[in-house]
Amino acid sequence: MIVGALAGLILCFFISVPIQFAIILIIFSAFSALAPDIDHSSSKIRQIADFTVPVFSLFFAFFSTCSDFSCVVANWMEIIKTALIFTGVYAIIMIYLKPKHRGITHTILFSFIYGAILFFLAGWYFALAGFVGYFSHLLADRHIRLI
Ligand SMILES: [Zn+2]
């Protein structure tokens, strides 16, 4: 996380953003530096994801089905079903399709894929901060492979 925060700090020198936004980007970069170790069962990011994926799945299921709490009673089955599907897909990937440690998630290609996903979700600044954080992990691991 420290290496990722440093990478985010260096990025912020070059893109000149307001200080409050720079702090957000640096924190985001620090967390992005944890992302490559999603392929390791006892990593920090796995412990975080194992808890947050079901919670966020439930939030996503709620907000994609309802606009207020009154519709929960009528649609609770739909909400639970959607949340279970997302949590189940995450669990299946992590149990059966998890790449080997320092495999595909520790490549330059995957850094770009991570950045591209962030670009579509949150725009250029988060894509750049996420990319430098992610890439700093590969540098710190001294594990730089294209694919
Ligand atoms: Zn690693």
Side-chain angles (χ1 to χ4, degrees):
M1 281 185 89
I2 291 169
V3 174
L6 264 173
L9 186 70
I10 293 166
L11 172 75
C12 288
F13 271 116
F14 287 102
I15 59 174
S16 63
V17 288
I19 185 75
Q20 299 92 331
F21 190 52
I23 291 167
I24 293 169
L25 289 180
I26 290 166
I27 292 169
F28 186 71
S29 184
F31 274 97
S32 292
L34 298 177
D37 278 347
I38 193 85
D39 63 4
H40 193 288
S41 345
S42 59
S43 65
K44 279 261 182 318
I45 190 70
R46 269 302 294 282
Q47 291 165 7
I48 294 169
D50 286 353
F51 172 74
T52 53
V53 167
V55 173
F56 278 102
S57 296
L58 198 58
F59 274 104
F60 175 78
F62 171 76
F63 286 110
S64 63
T65 312
C66 293
S67 55
D68 58 66
F69 283 101
S70 61
C71 94
V72 172
V73 177
N75 296 297
W76 69 273
M77 286 240 318
E78 182 68 28
I79 293 168
I80 297 289
K81 199 168 70 186
T82 306
L84 284 176
I85 288 169
F86 279 100
T87 305
V89 168
Y90 169 77
I92 288 167
I93 290 171
M94 285 307 150
I95 294 167
Y96 297 108
L97 304 171
K98 184 170 70 69
K100 70 173 174 38
H101 186 45
R102 292 187 178 163
I104 185 81
T105 64
H106 283 64
T107 60
I108 294 170
L109 174 71
F110 226 76
S111 309
F112 279 106
I113 292 171
Y114 181 73
I117 292 168
L118 289 173
F119 172 72
F120 288 113
L121 291 177
W124 266 116
Y125 287 120
F126 282 98
L128 282 172
F131 174 79
V132 297
Y134 196 106
F135 191 74
S136 74
H137 180 113
L138 307 188
L139 286 174
D141 271 359
R142 282 192 235 126
H143 196 275
I144 317 278
R145 280 194 343 214
L146 192 57
I147 48 174

